[in-house]
Amino acid sequence: MQRDIGIKQLSERTTPWDVLVIGGGATGASILLDAAARGFSAILLEQSDFGKGTSSRSTKLVHGGVRYLAQGNVSLVRDALRERTRLRDNAPHVVKELSFLVPCRNGWQRCWYGVGFKVYDLLAGRNGFRKSRMLGQRASLQAVPTLRPEQAAGGVLYSDGQFDDARLLINILQTGVERGGIALNYFPVTDLLKDATGKATGVVASDLESGQTFQVHARVIINATGPFCDVVRQKDSVDAKPLVTTSQGVHLVLPKHFLPGDTAVIVPKTNDGRVIFMIPWQNHVVVGTTDTPLDKAVMEPIAQQREIDFLLTTAALYLTQPPTVADVLSVFTGIRPLVRPDKDTKSTAGISRDHTIVRSPSGMITITGGKWTTARKMAQDCLDRAIQWCDLPERACQTIHLPLHGAGPKTEQGPSVENSYGTDADGIEQLAQQDAALAMPLVSGYHLRGAEVLWSVRHEMARTVEDVLARRSRLLFLNCQAALLAAPTVAELLRQELKRDLEWSEQQLREFAEVAKAYTVDNVLDC
């Protein structure tokens, strides 16, 4: 997946594309893959980097959604559980099974949640995931040794999936490109093109690196920009009514010793109706998430002090060693695009996570809502609608059992901290062997090496220091200070690989330092 090749193919194109996707998050990438796999000519344009927004900031779970079952949304849970299995089968190098403990303070709670998770198992069917079971106090504390005994007179143990969201996104895009699609980052859409009848026929887009402007024509235009979808819809029609409402979810990253085993903890009900997870992830612990309504979506959301306090307070209720602000290694915040409910509500926690697909009078299709786990199914639904609405030839979906880039026989044991690259790992090792400097970790305690940096530029379209440290690797999400230490080396490697000057790399470091502020507890909103 190389940016210059994609731009060359775009420049040489003389006929309209079958499908043009605006937005390079989970939904847009999955639509590109679905369209390309069906044999349609397809192109995706992303205004920033792939996954810059919501899709790199999830709770890292591939799951049916326990809370949605409690809300009675059985169809969403059933679809998500089915997609959970498909993701694990199609990307075993990125998606793995993870055990979760629901601590119960008494026998009544244990029976209540035990029955609920048996329903969860029934909806999942025969899928290879371990079935839930009830535990006594001793077994619960063996599973999670740092759990407060008074919170766990017993527990329920169940299984769900875990993944690296940004890595999976890149693999989906790579697979789409291998099937003939084109994906371009730093390529914002600035306007829509329409014919004399008002039908949308394409977009005006610009390459932020060269400044060149392109008119990109297509038979079908799909707006998959998540929380920013109304911005694109208003380019189509100034009278477009808002389709989404937004909320933000904050996650704290703590050292591994707070949850030293391989079992996550789920607090099934907090005072705001949220489900809180404490999850082992890449030798760290992720605690999240919140659900705070927002007036508008922003590209770099900032945590609120009350969200930080809420997560730390909740974790302290359950862990023998209460975490404090000083323990937080990084903070990351994501924005959810929630389909606007018919009735006004002060809380976004109860809004459905289902997706919606609409067509404007111009013919532009917008898809929004949903969740990471169901992105493949969302893409399938969207392309099926596009075929129905836009006179595309009837072609069946091909992605249900399609292995993603990186999957292979050697990756079936699942991902590891050191390797979520799957079959690409051999190529990275060859780079490391060519130069001893590329084989050394960039910062103590973390695996990221120069070889991975070069690989991300050459094969994964990384263009900036942030691309490398936030999304191709996850160092910024795991430890903000470690990422800042690694940044100068990354900037120099990028400068040489992309043939930039020293002024460029210095500017990169300034920009990365500014972005990194949003990942620290020192830069929160006092709300």
Side-chain angles (χ1 to χ4, degrees), residues 434-491:
Q434 292 172 11
D435 185 341
L438 297 178
M440 297 295 294
L442 270 59
V443 61
S444 177
Y446 293 89
H447 188 265
L448 179 63
R449 303 169 299 169
E452 279 93 336
V453 177
L454 291 188
W455 185 270
S456 71
V457 178
R458 295 175 184 178
H459 303 284
E460 298 177 349
M461 224 177 283
R463 312 299 293 177
T464 71
V465 171
E466 183 194 342
D467 295 349
V468 172
L469 292 175
R471 290 172 293 277
R472 303 311 184 275
S473 78
R474 309 316 306 273
L475 190 55
L476 179 59
F477 282 66
L478 295 171
N479 188 324
C480 181
Q481 292 305 314
L484 288 168
L485 289 174
T489 304
V490 173

Side-chain angles (χ1 to χ4, degrees), residues 49 52 57 186 300 329-331 442-443 448 463-492 494 503-520 523:
D49 185 34
K52 160 74 172 177
R57 302 164 187 257
Y186 299 102
E300 199 62 66
L329 299 175
S330 194
V331 178
L442 270 59
V443 61
L448 179 63
R463 312 299 293 177
T464 71
V465 171
E466 183 194 342
D467 295 349
V468 172
L469 292 175
R471 290 172 293 277
R472 303 311 184 275
S473 78
R474 309 316 306 273
L475 190 55
L476 179 59
F477 282 66
L478 295 171
N479 188 324
C480 181
Q481 292 305 314
L484 288 168
L485 289 174
T489 304
V490 173
E492 179 58 20
L494 286 173
E503 182 181 349
W504 179 89
S505 59
E506 291 168 357
Q507 178 65 21
Q508 278 290 301
L509 291 175
R510 288 192 292 270
E511 292 176 359
F512 182 70
E514 189 63 30
V515 167
K517 290 180 181 178
Y519 292 77
T520 71
N523 188 58

Side-chain angles (χ1 to χ4, degrees), residues 199-244:
K199 180 181 184 298
T201 59
V203 303
V204 178
S206 58
D207 176 6
L208 292 183
E209 292 193 0
S210 69
Q212 187 176 0
T213 299
F214 295 82
Q215 291 192 357
V216 188
H217 295 273
R219 299 170 67 181
V220 179
I221 300 171
I222 299 176
N223 170 19
T225 53
F228 303 99
C229 74
D230 286 331
V231 176
V232 177
R233 292 176 68 247
Q234 285 163 3
K235 291 182 187 294
D236 181 30
S237 171
V238 293
D239 299 325
K241 294 182 179 180
L243 188 61
V244 298

Side-chain angles (χ1 to χ4, degrees), residues 261-279:
D262 296 324
T263 301
V265 174
I266 170 175
V267 179
K269 189 174 183 180
T270 64
N271 57 17
D272 73 341
R274 287 293 300 166
V275 171
I276 297 298
F277 294 96
M278 291 177 277
I279 306 168

Side-chain angles (χ1 to χ4, degrees), residues 60-62 94-96 98 160-164 279-281:
K60 319 307 177 196
L61 298 180
V62 177
V94 183
V95 181
K96 70 173 184 177
L98 182 67
D160 247 325
Q162 184 181 49
F163 76 141
D164 184 327
I279 306 168
W281 186 62

